[in-house]
Amino acid sequence: VSPGTATVTAGQSVVLTANVTSTGFNVLDVEWSLTGAAVTAGNAFIENGVIRTTEDATGTLTATVKSVADPTKKATATITIA
């Protein structure tokens, strides 16, 4: 995942990218997930690697991306909301 760490201002967005290569799998699709108090409160979400936050968002988020073809292959990024 790039970037592996980032800081985002509440109310703003940050874009993450995943570099997927294959050795034997034809599917290069990934699934994104996001955890943290701001997600639970409905103040942050992720879609296609783009994390969006509301102006009320605070704390730290963990974004995880995993391979659809091989879910054991995953990476994380830590996002701090300032």
Side-chain angles (χ1 to χ4, degrees), residues 25-76:
F25 294 105
N26 292 328
V27 179
L28 299 179
D29 295 336
V30 297
E31 292 180 351
W32 293 92
S33 61
L34 189 65
T35 58
V39 176
T40 304
N43 293 321
F45 65 94
I46 191 167
E47 182 177 15
N48 297 323
V50 179
I51 298 173
R52 301 185 193 283
T53 64
T54 69
E55 291 183 5
D56 296 326
T58 60
T60 302
L61 303 169
T62 300
T64 302
V65 61
K66 68 178 179 178
S67 166
V68 171
D70 184 359
T72 65
K73 305 296 184 197
K74 59 185 174 179
T76 61

